[in-house]
Amino acid sequence: MLGGHLDSWHGATGATDNVAGCTVMMEAVRILKAIGIKPKRTIRIALWGGEEQGLLGSYKYIIDHFGDSKTMQLTKEHEKISAYYNIDNGTGRIRGIYLQGNEAVRPIFEKWFSEFDDIIDHTTITIRDTGGTDHLGFDAIGIPGFQFIQDPIEYNTRTHHTNMDNYERLVIDDLKQMAVIVVSFVYNTAQRDEKLPRKPLKKGE
């Protein structure tokens, strides 16, 4: 799966938070359709609502399809999904990815990122977690969920939740770079014979 959120509540159009992420994900799916691939796995896109109000859209979807992190009652669909990729840090180009503590995926992502040395300088693949967006619900029930690292541009200084978050703040060339990288990650995930490695569920879950 791949996704972003469309629910901005502030006094602008939410271009960097998070029309940018949704645009990138939609473009990634358009590219996949245009090149006519027949992936081994189903590729599903989600444009979430309610992220600003507490990740409500993605959490409801996860409960309905994969399981409840409060009870850890998991569904059969939980066994089948390989990964979820999220964009929600503005218009800046991708510079790496947060592993959310899943060290086992590092060599896989290193290989995939190595194909983009011409459009990414000094790729960062960090074991660190990052929060505040829709990959968290997937991670909470043991599904590999990832947020990409992006150039901040003006996200935290000018556009995030302000009345300046309009179309003119988008950097179109950066969005194109992001879409190409997302396409690669989604395609490579869908073509793997095995699912991406998962972190063990917490003891007692």
Side-chain angles (χ1 to χ4, degrees):
M1 281 191 75
L2 65 161
H5 76 88
L6 277 170
D7 62 352
S8 297
W9 49 264
H10 43 77
T13 58
T16 67
D17 184 28
N18 183 33
V19 172
C22 292
T23 300
V24 166
M25 296 316 199
M26 291 170 68
E27 175 64 4
V29 172
R30 187 200 67 79
I31 293 169
L32 291 168
K33 293 283 286 183
I35 61 179
I37 67 161
K38 303 295 183 185
K40 294 179 180 179
R41 295 181 178 275
T42 299
I43 296 172
R44 184 175 297 174
I45 183 173
L47 305 182
W48 309 111
E51 189 268 0
E52 303 288 359
Q53 293 75 33
L55 313 180
L56 301 181
S58 56
Y59 271 118
K60 180 63 166 65
Y61 183 92
I62 289 163
I63 289 171
D64 289 348
H65 290 271
F66 304 123
D68 188 338
S69 61
K70 294 179 181 177
T71 64
M72 293 310 290
Q73 296 294 312
L74 306 177
T75 70
K76 290 185 177 180
E77 286 184 78
H78 183 277
E79 301 171 6
K80 298 178 181 179
I81 185 170
S82 183
Y84 171 76
Y85 298 103
N86 198 72
I87 291 283
D88 182 20
N89 283 148
T91 191
R93 60 178 47 214
I94 289 173
R95 296 296 185 184
I97 199 165
Y98 296 96
L99 296 182
Q100 294 296 127
N102 188 347
E103 185 64 31
V105 299
R106 182 185 296 274
I108 299 168
F109 287 175
E110 285 177 345
K111 183 176 185 300
W112 294 353
F113 269 122
S114 71
E115 304 296 325
F116 296 105
D117 290 343
D118 56 336
I119 59 173
I120 306 178
D121 297 325
H122 310 297
T123 302
T124 298
I125 301 175
T126 177
I127 194 66
R128 289 175 51 199
D129 297 356
T130 189
T133 192
D134 290 296
H135 68 291
L136 291 178
F138 294 85
D139 184 62
I141 59 170
I143 296 170
F146 305 101
Q147 167 72 24
F148 289 97
I149 299 169
Q150 298 169 245
D151 280 344
I153 312 294
E154 302 171 312
Y155 190 65
N156 291 314
T157 59
R158 185 178 295 266
T159 64
H160 183 243
H161 292 186
T162 76
N163 62 1
M164 302 188 77
D165 194 6
N166 293 305
Y167 175 80
E168 61 267 22
R169 299 295 173 184
L170 297 177
V171 181
I172 302 304
D173 284 344
D174 285 6
L175 299 180
K176 292 177 182 178
Q177 183 257 22
M178 293 159 66
V180 169
I181 293 168
V182 170
V183 164
S184 174
F185 270 66
V186 170
Y187 176 76
N188 283 322
T189 302
Q191 292 299 97
R192 283 175 54 86
D193 291 332
E194 299 176 346
K195 294 178 296 187
L196 287 184
R198 297 186 175 194
K199 297 184 294 187
L201 292 175
K202 294 178 182 178
K203 187 175 180 181
E205 297 180 340

